[in-house]
Amino acid sequence: MRWLVRRVHRKGKGQVSYEDDIHFGDVLTVGRGASQAVFLTDMRVALEHAKITSLSKGKYRVESLIEAGVRINGGIVHQATCAAGTQIELGGFRLELLEPPEDYDAAVEISQIDKSEQAAEIQRKRPPTSLAETRLSKRGPAWALFIAIFLLFLVLPAASHYSSGLSSLLRGSPLPSRDAWMAGELAGAHHFFQSECSACHSEAFAWVKDGDCLTCHALTPAHADPEVFNLPELGDARCAHCHRDHNGKTALIRGDQSLCADCHTDLGTRTAGASTLGEATDFGEVHPEFKVSLPRWDAQGVFAPERVTLAADLKEGSGLKFPHDVHLDKEGINAPSGRRVLECSSCHVPDAGGAIMKPVDFESMCQDCHALSFDVTEPERQVPHARITEIFYMLDEFYARRALEGEVKDESAPVSLRTRRLPGQSVQPQQRQLALTWARDKARQVGESLFTGRACTVCHEVSPGRTTEEPWAVAPVRVSGIWFPKSRFDHASHTTMTCAGCHAATTSSSSEDLLLPDIANCRQCHAGDEGGHDKLESGCITCHGYHESDHLLQVDLQ
């Protein structure tokens, strides 16, 4: 198919010239890319913007190749079947589809849209922006607006308050009812029904009842499990005691310290000794020492963490041997690549949310310095980390191949294995057996050296294994992922602090040191919300959530 592509060039004083080109093919592609049949030099045009297909003489199909579509005869479309005379606008260019002249199957004319024409079109579409551009006066609209506001937002709501029929009518119409007199902005979660007062207020001008809340929140976890917290203050408390709406988008949950302190005062006496919790009425003045969750496993191997009070002599049995002070030496450590200075961030990287740290990864954080190479003749070869069976399989395979190929560079190997074999030379059965026996013994010797001497035992507790496949056993690493499960803490909020400000890692020579900050450390910056104006005021809900049951829902308490 033969296309006529005509470009119109306008010069000064109304002069016009034409440049004709010929394109062969059923489809004419249009865009800013150099590969397009019609190349348009306008940044508002996509690289591949549209394509035009000739259906027959004078009839075309225009298709957009981008989500924004194309403007055809003033309207935005994604595809259309057009006749000759149709105008397509792309950026500052106009393409007009033509009746093809003789010897052509299709034709298109390309011209630039005049800037004055563009400005006139924008001005034509611009709505009036001042009263001076209309036939209205200033005083008339002002009085009309005043009367409309007076009737719509004062007379109608007042009348609907005293007439139930009118109230129902207005609620079903776009006109304002007494909802226009809402006491305050609703919480963000309640915005979608903010015009329906009865959604929460089953009685007009009355407090919201707990049953009204459960219409939507029946499946919310129970805030106060009566079996655990057998206290009237919790069981008889209204939802609205803690959740008060009409106070803005983020003020639905009470955050004042007295909400918690009223109950957490003298708990031992008030619960007849049932509660073992300490007094907690103000973080800066009255709050017990932190309790941490240490990883523990019962006799059956089930994870059963133990909560203990944080103390300076508290130790962690993680199964690791790691001296922080050596790795954080200001002078650096000796690494294969030279002297290297490590920082806390070299091994401790926050997760995506910034709350906790990702687990330390041996391959990306440790292996640069602690290479698991096993043979001096091939130092780049390393055994895999933490996979004992694979380690001995690799060693057996490595030394068996070396023994069978010959020229073993080891004085302990038999002479026949240290002799180089010619390529293709067969190995006698007796030599093969001798080679495999030596390789097996060598693999076990190297494995013992790795596990008990120069590799594994540097960081791990190693003991003899129980099987030939795993002749050595490495104590599992058991580090707690979350030390304070009863509280909230994220490192992202403490980026202004240095790691050493909370963790005394530079003075720790043993991985048994817990290195967690105690309450005195936190009180250097944080105080309760009723005092300490030179510190960050922190109420109870800054770190703690309300009581939530693990198995009960709100509807279960009704």
Side-chain angles (χ1 to χ4, degrees):
M1 183 168 290
R2 183 173 174 155
W3 289 73
L4 171 63
V5 181
R6 174 170 293 166
R7 290 184 180 268
V8 180
H9 300 285
R10 291 184 174 84
K11 302 179 181 179
K13 298 182 180 180
Q15 296 181 354
V16 178
S17 63
Y18 298 93
E19 177 186 350
D20 291 347
D21 195 5
I22 300 175
H23 174 74
F24 294 95
D26 294 334
V27 178
L28 189 72
T29 57
V30 184
R32 188 164 44 86
S35 62
Q36 303 299 291
V38 176
F39 172 63
L40 303 179
T41 58
D42 193 315
M43 293 301 294
R44 292 170 292 181
V45 179
L47 294 176
E48 298 179 0
H49 202 117
K51 65 179 182 178
I52 306 173
T53 306
S54 177
L55 304 179
S56 62
K57 276 188 175 291
K59 191 174 183 180
Y60 305 87
R61 173 172 289 279
V62 181
E63 300 177 63
S64 173
L65 301 180
I66 63 173
E67 291 293 332
V70 295
R71 183 182 296 276
I72 299 178
N73 291 336
I76 300 296
V77 298
H78 285 84
Q79 63 178 10
T81 302
C82 308
T86 299
Q87 293 186 348
I88 306 169
E89 294 183 9
L90 297 177
F93 289 88
R94 177 182 289 120
L95 284 70
E96 183 175 352
L97 305 177
L98 306 175
E99 284 285 355
E102 188 177 354
D103 296 334
Y104 289 94
D105 300 299
V108 62
E109 183 178 273
I110 308 165
S111 62
Q112 279 192 305
I113 302 175
D114 188 74
K115 293 183 178 179
S116 61
E117 182 182 348
Q118 289 180 323
E121 180 65 17
I122 294 173
Q123 181 66 23
R124 184 183 66 82
K125 294 181 178 181
R126 184 180 68 84
T129 56
S130 67
L131 285 176
E133 296 177 319
T134 69
R135 297 182 180 181
L136 299 175
S137 66
K138 294 182 178 180
R139 186 172 297 276
W143 275 106
L145 187 59
F146 169 76
I147 294 172
I149 292 175
F150 179 79
L151 292 175
L152 290 176
F153 297 101
L154 182 61
V155 176
L156 272 181
S160 67
H161 177 69
Y162 295 102
S163 173
S164 59
L166 180 60
S167 178
S168 300
L169 178 63
L170 291 177
R171 286 181 181 277
S173 72
L175 296 174
S177 65
R178 65 179 181 180
D179 295 340
W181 295 351
M182 186 178 294
E185 185 180 12
L186 287 175
H190 295 162
H191 265 217
F192 70 99
F193 58 78
Q194 62 181 351
S195 61
E196 298 293 334
C197 298
S198 59
C200 294
H201 297 273
S202 56
E203 297 181 13
F205 301 103
W207 280 354
V208 177
K209 299 179 180 179
D210 289 352
D212 298 327
C213 298
L214 292 181
T215 303
C216 296
H217 297 280
L219 301 182
T220 300
H223 282 340
D225 186 343
E227 297 180 1
V228 180
F229 306 102
N230 187 18
L231 295 172
E233 293 88 341
L234 294 180
D236 299 337
R238 296 176 57 246
C239 299
H241 181 69
C242 301
H243 303 282
R244 296 180 177 177
D245 214 335
H246 295 288
N247 288 316
K249 292 183 179 180
T250 60
L252 183 61
I253 301 176
R254 281 183 58 186
D256 54 290
Q257 185 167 279
S258 62
L259 175 65
C260 304
D262 288 348
C263 290
H264 284 265
T265 301
D266 197 18
L267 270 176
T269 302
R270 296 173 56 246
T271 61
S275 175
T276 59
L277 297 176
E279 296 289 302
T281 58
D282 182 90
F283 181 77
E285 302 294 336
V286 182
H287 192 288
E289 181 58 83
F290 298 150
K291 285 192 175 183
V292 297
S293 179
L294 292 181
R296 296 284 188 271
W297 281 260
D298 59 19
Q300 289 71 37
V302 178
F303 182 66
E306 178 186 6
R307 293 192 69 218
V308 296
T309 301
L310 185 62
D313 58 349
L314 194 61
K315 300 297 182 181
E316 174 198 6
S318 64
L320 272 177
K321 293 185 287 184
F322 183 86
H324 278 90
D325 56 349
V326 172
H327 290 77
L328 294 177
D329 191 336
K330 293 181 179 180
E331 301 298 326
I333 60 175
N334 289 323
S337 58
R339 202 71 178 171
R340 182 177 177 184
V341 178
L342 297 178
E343 299 177 349
C344 299
S345 58
S346 302
C347 299
H348 299 287
V349 180
D351 65 359
I356 61 176
M357 295 292 174
K358 294 180 181 179
V360 174
D361 179 68
F362 175 83
E363 284 76 10
S364 62
M365 299 176 181
C366 308
Q367 199 163 6
D368 285 349
C369 297
H370 297 276
L372 299 181
S373 55
F374 58 90
D375 195 283
V376 294
T377 61
E378 293 190 34
E380 71 281 356
R381 291 289 297 269
Q382 299 187 39
V383 295
H385 179 256
R387 297 191 289 274
I388 298 177
T389 303
E390 293 183 27
I391 290 175
F392 282 97
Y393 183 85
M394 174 184 285
L395 294 177
D396 286 338
E397 185 181 56
F398 178 85
Y399 287 108
R401 180 173 180 176
R402 174 169 290 187
L404 291 174
E405 290 178 349
E407 200 176 12
V408 175
K409 297 177 182 180
D410 190 328
E411 295 298 328
S412 65
V415 176
S416 61
L417 302 184
R418 287 182 278 163
T419 304
R420 181 178 182 182
R421 296 189 181 90
L422 297 176
Q425 181 180 1
S426 61
V427 181
Q428 299 300 321
Q430 184 177 1
Q431 289 179 320
R432 176 183 294 274
Q433 184 63 36
L434 180 64
L436 294 178
T437 300
W438 175 84
R440 184 180 62 254
D441 294 341
K442 182 65 175 180
R444 294 300 177 269
Q445 177 187 349
V446 172
E448 180 177 357
S449 175
L450 284 172
F451 279 89
T452 63
R454 53 193 171 89
C456 305
T457 190
V458 174
C459 302
H460 300 277
E461 297 289 344
V462 179
S463 59
R466 298 181 179 180
T467 64
T468 56
E469 292 78 10
E470 295 188 3
W472 298 100
V474 178
V477 176
R478 294 171 171 175
V479 179
S480 179
I482 300 179
W483 298 100
F484 303 105
K486 299 296 184 179
S487 64
R488 292 190 300 265
F489 176 85
D490 66 276
H491 287 85
S493 300
H494 293 77
T495 53
T496 56
M497 301 287 296
T498 62
C499 299
C502 298
H503 308 283
T506 56
T507 60
S508 171
S509 60
S510 172
S511 58
E512 292 186 348
D513 297 334
L514 211 51
L515 300 183
L516 293 175
D518 56 11
I519 191 171
N521 184 287
C522 297
R523 281 173 173 167
Q524 296 178 49
C525 300
H526 294 268
D529 66 358
E530 295 182 359
H533 297 292
D534 59 336
K535 298 180 180 179
L536 181 62
E537 295 183 358
S538 305
C540 301
I541 66 170
T542 302
C543 301
H544 299 284
Y546 195 65
H547 311 282
E548 286 191 350
S549 173
D550 295 330
H551 60 282
L552 291 178
L553 303 176
Q554 289 287 12
V555 69
D556 297 329
L557 302 183
Q558 301 304 308

